[in-house]
Amino acid sequence: MVLIDTSSASVTTRKLTTAKAMVEGISQEMELDQSVFVLGEDVGAYGGIFSSTTGLLEKFGPKRVLDTPISETAFMGLATGAAVEGMRPIVELMFVDFFGVCMDQIYNHMAKIHYESGGNVKVPLVLMTAVGGGYSDGAQHSQCLWGTFAHLPGLKVVVPSNPFDAKGLMISAIRDDNPVVYMFHKGVMGLPWMAKNPRSLGAVPEQSYEVPIGKASVVRTGKDVTIISLSLSVHHALDAADELATQGVDCEVIDLRSLVPLDRGTILESAGKTGRVLVVDEDYKSFGLSGEIAAVICESDPRLLKVPFARLAVPDVPIPYSRTLEYAVLPTADRIISEIKHLMG
Amino acid sequence: MEGVLATWFVSDGQTVEKGQLIAEVQVDKVSAEVEAPASGRIRLLVKEQDVVQQESPIAQVD
Amino acid sequence: MDSQTRLGLYKTMVLSRSFEEAILRDYHADKKPAWDIGAGLIPGEMHLSAGQEPVAAGVCAHLTADDAVTATHRPHHFAIAHGMDLRLLAAEIFGRETGLGKGRGGHMHLFDPSTHFSCSGIIAEGYPPALGQAFAFKRQGKDRVAVAVTGEGAANQGGFHESVNLASLWKLPVVFVIEDNDWAISVPRDSSTSIRSNAVRASSYGIRGARIQDNSVEGVWDAAKTAIEKARAGEGPSLIEVHTVRLWGHFEGDAQAYRDDLGSLIDPIPAYASQLESDGVLTTELAGKILKEAKRQVDDAVEFAKSSPLPSAADAEKYVFA
């Protein structure tokens, strides 16, 4: 087992998209461990609607890469049962928005069995699912919903933003003895048929490595203001920070990488350092991640902040279809810049 | 058939090895991977987002 | 069927009933005069299976501890018939640290790795995990099977249909069992289900279906034998519906005012005893011995539970993650 943190990324020039990095992580674990298998809708010949399983069927065959019927309750429960019997399933929920048709298997079964069994039964599986909007897929195919999953005890929730973390977090998730919800934003995958996103392509070591679950990454250091974010919004935050740097504002950007466990230490350390915090979250605003981070800071020491806490999240509306409306609610670099300027007074 | 050179995974002038993933070409909503046919220094003949025809050269390995 | 097998079925049913009679006593003992569901030695809802013992006894007679069973919110008869340790079961029901789930699960949430037993309090949702267990058994190249149990009300749930289809499609070694006790809490089957027999639904998914109309333990045993043998042989899933009887209400405290057939219910255990006696397999003396032995085991389990410590409040957050 090789453990690498982004801060000490090994020297490599080989570049991959986030999607290819994820697949490489899965593929390497499947080679190492015969108990790992993949199931879900269109994960076989199609290779995953968002390229999360490209090439796995050809490499590992239909016994280990299984297309399922559109029966999320059945195959989500199947994954749980197989995990209970010692296998390590990777089960894909095509869009996180589809959780409504199978949530019982997720939150009442996979998440609770370990607790209800008094620790006697383990459920080692990865539930990977596509999240996020920005391409006019409408209210039922554009949500993030990580706050919903993180709210429920018993599920780890990881949300990679870049190729390096995508591979390392996938390997960690597969090796974890708990159910891990692995949420990949369609906009970070580096899909050729979506708007070009340069940050979705990056150096990825060829060997197997883990990125620890529960450890945030300070992806840019700064002294004036802390932007706490995750997933695609990290890219927007970095773009905003680049622009603000030219205007004399020095932003620190934290990529949470996981919601459960939440790296409270890194949040508090940075908040204490800059005294100004903006949370950028593509999930809904109320009762979610941004409020949780405010609570973490307040419970520790509200005096850490020099100015009131700020958050940029999707207002409490369904994600609109029309592009002008959708971009009116999604976090963007421009909106981050304006929030930061407000914070800086 | 034509497509778009979506992503170069290597830079112009870089050394590549035979079989290495060098590019991704997009045709509608699917993409095709292109591997280096030989080892050596690669010279990129098209830019990202250029339209490319099937069987037309996109790079040269010396 | 040989006498030993018949006696075995009878013993299993008597043990299950004796256990539930003991639970029944302790459940009600300290909830009076003001009945408080959350009070007493055994708090919470209590769904007892009296009357349905033939289903569990008949099916589980063909299983070993290597086979899996997923049961329902009414799980005791299957847990006992599948060989769960009575002490661990009783201690869990009494909410003790020594229980199966160290008091974290309760009577609807029993998970026993040593017998691959689990249950779900959510209607029809025990079926999908059974598929996964069967999938794992098949991949491991073993002839183990998974038995998935629901009530007749569950056959109208999506999870039921998704699971039967997928199990058939992938030829998984699963035996689906429906306990038709006529009632989904207070709603009779005929008011909820468009067909008389759920066994016919098997044909929609290309699998074998059988219905045992008379709550006969030997009828269940026969049908289960075929289904389990076929599953072990790699011939895929089957569905068995048993028309059984719910003797004691949906849960304890259910006055069953909505029911007017209570006077005509047949208790399957004395009925089977009479049958065995008339066949010369059972005598009054032997029946007494069987009952005595069952009560001894039950008393031991209940005593173990009552003398076990409650979990420490400080440990309430333990076991969320492995």
Side-chain angles (χ1 to χ4, degrees), chain A residues 6-8 18 56 71 103 158 162 188 244 255-256 267:
Chain A
T6 35
S7 53
S8 62
T18 302
L56 293 176
S71 303
M103 197 55 170
V158 303
N162 61 68
V188 308
L244 287 162
D255 180 351
L256 289 172
I267 292 169

Side-chain angles (χ1 to χ4, degrees), chain C residues 26 28 51 54 56 77 87 175 318:
Chain C
D26 278 324
H28 288 287
H77 54 326
R87 286 182 160 202
V175 176
K318 226 170 155 180

Side-chain angles (χ1 to χ4, degrees), chain A residues 42-229:
Chain A
D42 303 286
V43 299
Y46 198 104
I49 293 299
F50 300 105
S51 301
S52 54
T53 58
T54 306
L56 293 176
L57 175 67
E58 291 78 358
K59 199 163 179 187
F60 297 101
K63 282 200 156 181
R64 295 183 70 195
V65 182
L66 298 100
D67 276 329
T68 61
I70 305 170
S71 303
E72 287 87 353
T73 288
F75 71 72
M76 209 52 77
L78 189 151
T80 297
V84 162
E85 293 298 339
M87 299 191 78
R88 289 186 177 268
I90 301 169
V91 58
E92 178 163 284
L93 179 62
M94 187 187 281
F95 288 75
V96 74
D97 314 67
F98 301 170
F99 82 101
V101 295
C102 58
M103 197 55 170
D104 188 71
Q105 282 301 324
I106 298 169
Y107 89 112
N108 263 332
H109 293 82
M110 109 184 15
K112 290 180 182 167
I113 287 174
H114 184 71
Y115 187 80
E116 290 173 322
S117 73
N120 288 322
V121 178
K122 287 178 184 159
V123 187
L125 64 77
V126 181
L127 193 179
M128 65 176 179
T129 185
V131 303
Y135 62 104
S136 287
D137 221 358
Q140 297 177 345
H141 294 74
S142 301
Q143 301 167 97
C144 286
L145 298 179
W146 39 61
T148 302
F149 286 80
H151 182 66
L152 301 163
L155 300 168
K156 291 190 178 180
V157 179
V158 303
V159 190
S161 72
N162 61 68
F164 181 92
D165 287 348
K167 179 175 171 182
L169 282 172
M170 176 57 79
I171 291 171
S172 296
I174 295 169
R175 293 177 184 177
D176 201 290
D177 278 340
N178 297 285
V180 179
V181 181
Y182 183 108
M183 307 178 102
F184 57 88
H185 196 296
K186 296 152 230 169
V188 308
M189 293 291 270
L191 301 172
W193 46 278
M194 283 203 179
K196 198 81 183 170
N197 171 359
R199 296 186 199 276
S200 63
L201 187 67
V204 178
E206 290 179 36
Q207 81 269 29
S208 179
Y209 61 93
E210 293 183 24
V211 167
I213 295 174
K215 185 84 194 78
S217 169
V218 181
V219 289
R220 179 189 176 108
T221 54
K223 60 177 178 13
D224 295 331
V225 59
T226 300
I227 306 175
I228 299 171
S229 194

Side-chain angles (χ1 to χ4, degrees), chain C residues 138-158:
Chain C
K138 192 173 172 175
R139 281 293 177 271
Q140 290 156 2
K142 297 169 183 167
D143 69 350
R144 297 159 68 185
V145 301
V147 171
V149 186
T150 67
E152 88 287 347
N156 299 322
Q157 275 277 27

Side-chain angles (χ1 to χ4, degrees), chain A residues 13-17 20 46 49 51 54 190-194 196 201, chain B residues 6-9 11 14 20-21 24 26 28-31 33 48-49:
Chain A
T13 53
R14 202 258 322 229
K15 285 180 181 170
L16 289 180
T17 59
K20 291 183 195 302
Y46 198 104
I49 293 299
S51 301
T54 306
L191 301 172
W193 46 278
M194 283 203 179
K196 198 81 183 170
L201 187 67
Chain B
T7 306
W8 278 118
F9 293 102
S11 325
Q14 189 185 323
Q20 181 181 341
L21 175 66
E24 195 167 39
Q26 172 204 355
D28 293 335
K29 208 177 161 186
V30 293
S31 57
E33 295 183 350
E48 287 188 357
Q49 304 309 318

